[in-house]
Amino acid sequence: MTLSSILSFLGCKSKPEKTTEEIEMDKAFEEWNNRPIYKVLTTEILDKISDDMLEQTVFDNIYEIIGDDYKNELKNIQGLSPGQQAFWSTWVLEGEVNNGGFNQFYFNSSGQYSKMAEVGFKTIGAEKFADLTIRANNIYNENKERLEEFDDGTMESFSESYKDNPLNELDTEFYALGETESISGLRIKYIRDHVSEFTTD
């Protein structure tokens, strides 16, 4: 009788083997968790970073620079290069809108980057996204007082804020535009073409 049979007989179930997909996911998570994070970036470092890790590397570097000073985060980002500002603001906006729409972008502290993102999208050559962000900012400002009534810190109010929200239509446009133009691709190209804005050498 094998060990697994004996354990089964005694009521001890052996741990099921992981699937290939689970093993690959664990490996990917481990690699991401142990990725190198650079306090200082140089041209040599960026040249060695593959495109699929370039944005994460730049994000990590900026986060290392500004630290956890959330109260002064906007001010600290404003002290960075135009390229770093463009990267950060468009990264934040894209992440928020893809997760919960423009409403979530403005609802969270990320909304503080609304004007910077307008410039940021233009900087990286994403003109259509810049135009869409300008429209979103105008609509939000026109409805700011009404939308802020839902900002009481509860999920119920946050959910209610989506009802009859004029920003919802822009979410659809944003997602459709993303299918024809890659913000990520434009950011990567900008970084490669303007390395000096992201390095110290």
Side-chain angles (χ1 to χ4, degrees):
M1 184 178 286
T2 64
L3 177 59
S4 60
S5 298
I6 294 172
L7 291 173
S8 179
F9 178 75
L10 294 174
C12 301
K13 294 184 177 179
S14 59
K15 191 174 181 180
E17 292 186 10
K18 290 187 176 181
T19 64
T20 303
E21 183 179 351
E22 289 174 328
I23 293 173
E24 289 297 319
M25 287 179 64
D26 287 346
K27 181 181 177 182
F29 178 77
E30 184 177 353
E31 289 177 353
W32 185 86
N33 206 36
N34 294 317
R35 71 193 185 281
I37 296 177
Y38 303 95
K39 177 74 175 180
V40 175
L41 281 178
T42 64
T43 302
E44 183 181 7
I45 291 173
L46 282 185
D47 285 347
K48 292 180 180 178
I49 302 294
S50 62
D51 282 356
D52 62 342
M53 282 302 296
L54 186 61
E55 289 184 288
Q56 187 64 56
T57 299
V58 170
F59 177 88
D60 289 338
N61 171 250
I62 294 175
Y63 193 84
E64 285 292 302
I65 294 171
I66 66 173
D68 295 328
D69 185 11
Y70 301 115
K71 184 178 180 181
N72 297 301
E73 183 180 291
L74 177 60
K75 182 180 178 181
N76 291 333
I77 292 293
Q78 289 172 331
L80 301 180
S81 73
Q84 288 170 315
Q85 291 184 46
F87 173 87
W88 185 271
S89 60
T90 59
W91 169 289
V92 170
L93 184 147
E94 181 186 18
E96 290 281 26
V97 175
N98 281 336
N99 184 258
F102 275 104
N103 185 51
Q104 177 173 297
F105 170 69
Y106 296 110
F107 198 88
N108 291 334
S109 61
S110 51
Q112 66 187 320
Y113 295 108
S114 58
K115 295 299 291 184
M116 188 185 291
E118 287 184 13
V119 178
F121 280 124
K122 289 181 180 179
T123 299
I124 65 173
E127 294 291 340
K128 293 180 181 178
F129 282 101
D131 292 341
L132 185 56
T133 301
I134 291 171
R135 287 166 52 206
N137 286 341
N138 289 337
I139 289 174
Y140 174 73
N141 289 327
E142 291 169 1
N143 295 271
K144 184 176 181 180
E145 188 174 333
R146 179 177 69 84
L147 292 175
E148 285 183 341
E149 293 177 4
F150 296 97
D151 193 4
D152 61 6
T154 66
M155 284 303 299
E156 290 78 12
S157 291
F158 176 58
S159 297
E160 283 291 319
S161 68
Y162 280 92
K163 292 183 179 179
D164 300 319
N165 191 319
L167 291 168
N168 295 341
E169 293 182 9
L170 298 190
D171 297 341
T172 303
E173 288 187 48
F174 187 91
Y175 305 142
L177 189 54
E179 293 179 3
T180 61
E181 187 171 50
S182 170
I183 300 174
S184 176
L186 291 171
R187 275 195 297 256
I188 290 171
K189 184 179 187 307
Y190 186 88
I191 295 168
R192 295 297 189 199
D193 292 344
H194 303 83
V195 174
S196 63
E197 293 190 44
F198 301 89
T199 59
T200 57
D201 57 351

